[in-house]
Amino acid sequence: MTDPLPAAEPYVLSILVMPAQANTLGVMHGGHMMSWMDMAAWVVATRAVEAGQTVYFKAVDNCVWSGPIHAGEVCHVTARLAEVGTSSLRVELSARAEDPALKQTRDVCRAVFTMVTAEDGVAVPARLHERGRGSSGNGVPLATPSRASPRSVP
């Protein structure tokens, strides 16, 4: 993984944890966190590559929980592009829980997701989005219609 990283702001996905996403103790099920991290990683990786290039989930590493998140709290998943390889993009993710009533936040989970660029289920070289071209001015590419979707490789 040697390519320079394209300029991009971290992406933050914020979701209110509902009772249906929690167990009988009111603690959120871990599968919801994995899903939200997958979504955030897909956004960061898709913004980093050229329009029309498809990005898929490949692997998760070092998913570590440091505390629970409860129904009624807001989960903030922050995703940052960490490395770019030939066809892979590694995204570092961290999650914080916010109790809006108490005005408190705390770390709850972190992980690293590997996303790949592929066509018809076969990895292809990642074509990085050119810095500045088609961006919003802060390095974040503007959304454009493409074939890219947040689905997993079959």
Side-chain angles (χ1 to χ4, degrees):
M1 297 194 175
T2 59
D3 289 343
L5 299 179
E9 297 291 323
Y11 173 74
V12 180
L13 175 70
S14 297
I15 299 175
L16 176 64
V17 179
M18 301 301 290
Q21 297 163 321
N23 62 22
T24 56
L25 301 175
V27 175
M28 185 180 79
H29 293 287
H32 293 291
M33 180 68 74
M34 295 294 289
S35 175
W36 298 339
M37 286 184 159
D38 182 35
M39 288 183 231
W42 179 84
V43 169
V44 166
T46 299
R47 284 179 173 173
V49 299
E50 288 183 353
Q53 188 155 37
T54 305
V55 174
Y56 298 94
F57 170 82
K58 178 70 174 179
V60 61
D61 294 303
N62 302 320
C63 184
V64 178
W65 285 84
S66 55
I69 184 166
H70 300 93
E73 293 182 322
V74 178
C75 180
H76 302 283
V77 177
T78 301
R80 292 176 181 82
L81 187 61
E83 295 179 79
V84 176
T86 302
S87 64
S88 64
L89 300 101
R90 291 180 51 90
V91 179
E92 293 177 347
L93 299 123
S94 60
R96 295 186 57 80
E98 173 194 358
D99 184 324
L102 297 177
K103 314 297 187 258
Q104 297 175 342
T105 63
R106 65 187 183 289
D107 293 331
V108 291
C109 189
R110 62 180 166 79
V112 177
F113 277 42
T114 301
M115 311 300 281
V116 295
T117 50
E119 293 175 10
D120 299 321
V122 178
V124 296
R127 297 182 309 272
L128 297 181
H129 177 74
E130 287 184 32
R131 189 173 291 183
R133 187 183 74 178
S135 76
S136 62
N138 63 358
V140 178
L142 295 173
T144 58
S146 72
R147 296 178 332 144
S149 67
R151 59 184 180 221
S152 296
V153 174

